[in-house]
Amino acid sequence: MRDNWYQRCSFLGSTFALITTVNEEGETNIGPYQLSFPFEVNTRRSWMVISRNTSNTATNVYRTLKCALNFIEYDKDQIETVLKFGYPGQTVAEKMAYNTFKLIDSPTPGRGPSDIYPQILAEAYQVYECTLDIDRINENPILRDSPSAHLLL
């Protein structure tokens, strides 16, 4: 077994989201997540993202309680950028140096530029603007006590 065994040792055909969050300086960060999926569909609508507890995304979401899941179409020219976004520990400035996506303000009323609402990707065909359900995470020991971040959005 290795770190990220699911990425090195198996094929899981599924979508991924480019998740935008806001860092402590108010800048939008972008991180790719394949471990993101619908969690509840009947009485509530929620999404689950599983991440390293120390990732920029998890750190930013725990602080602001906000993120946006940006879904993009396959574009061979942008795959290298998406892969580079996944390197742990990069600053926003480092990512923006090679970023090929256009960040725009949300068109959702009340979610304009701020220090908690991230920008979204202009190229996304679908965006979910989310709030972390911290109360439900804290009520569930599986989610709360995991060594991974289980972001119930």
Side-chain angles (χ1 to χ4, degrees):
M1 295 291 270
R2 297 183 173 130
D3 290 343
N4 294 333
W5 62 268
Y6 60 89
Q7 292 175 334
R8 295 180 185 196
C9 303
S10 45
F11 173 77
L12 301 173
S14 66
T15 61
F16 68 91
L18 290 175
I19 300 179
T20 53
T21 59
V22 176
N23 71 7
E24 290 180 349
E25 289 77 37
E27 303 166 313
T28 296
N29 182 65
I30 306 171
Y33 283 86
Q34 188 233 353
L35 290 177
S36 68
F37 44 88
F39 190 67
E40 297 171 306
V41 295
N42 291 333
T43 57
R44 294 182 173 189
R45 290 177 297 278
S46 63
W47 200 268
M48 178 65 72
V49 173
I50 302 175
S51 171
R52 288 178 296 103
N53 265 330
T54 58
S55 72
N56 291 333
T57 299
T59 301
N60 293 338
V61 171
Y62 284 137
R63 192 184 78 263
T64 66
L65 306 180
K66 305 294 182 189
C67 69
L69 282 64
N70 300 266
F71 295 92
I72 59 169
E73 291 188 34
Y74 175 78
D75 182 337
K76 183 175 80 169
D77 296 332
Q78 292 178 325
I79 290 301
E80 185 175 342
T81 300
V82 172
L83 293 173
K84 285 181 179 179
F85 283 154
Y87 296 138
Q90 294 180 91
T91 66
V92 171
E94 290 170 327
K95 289 182 180 187
M96 291 305 116
Y98 58 78
N99 177 31
T100 59
F101 295 97
K102 181 180 177 186
L103 289 166
I104 61 172
D105 295 336
S106 170
T108 303
R111 291 196 179 231
S114 77
D115 52 350
I116 64 168
Y117 294 114
Q119 292 181 299
I120 61 175
L121 302 181
E123 295 85 353
Y125 65 84
Q126 179 170 267
V127 176
Y128 295 154
E129 294 178 287
C130 303
T131 301
L132 184 68
D133 195 340
I134 196 71
D135 293 333
R136 291 188 51 222
I137 292 170
N138 288 335
E139 292 168 2
N140 185 317
I142 293 171
L143 303 179
R144 180 191 64 226
D145 300 338
S146 173
S148 298
H150 287 74
L151 305 174
L152 180 58
L153 306 168

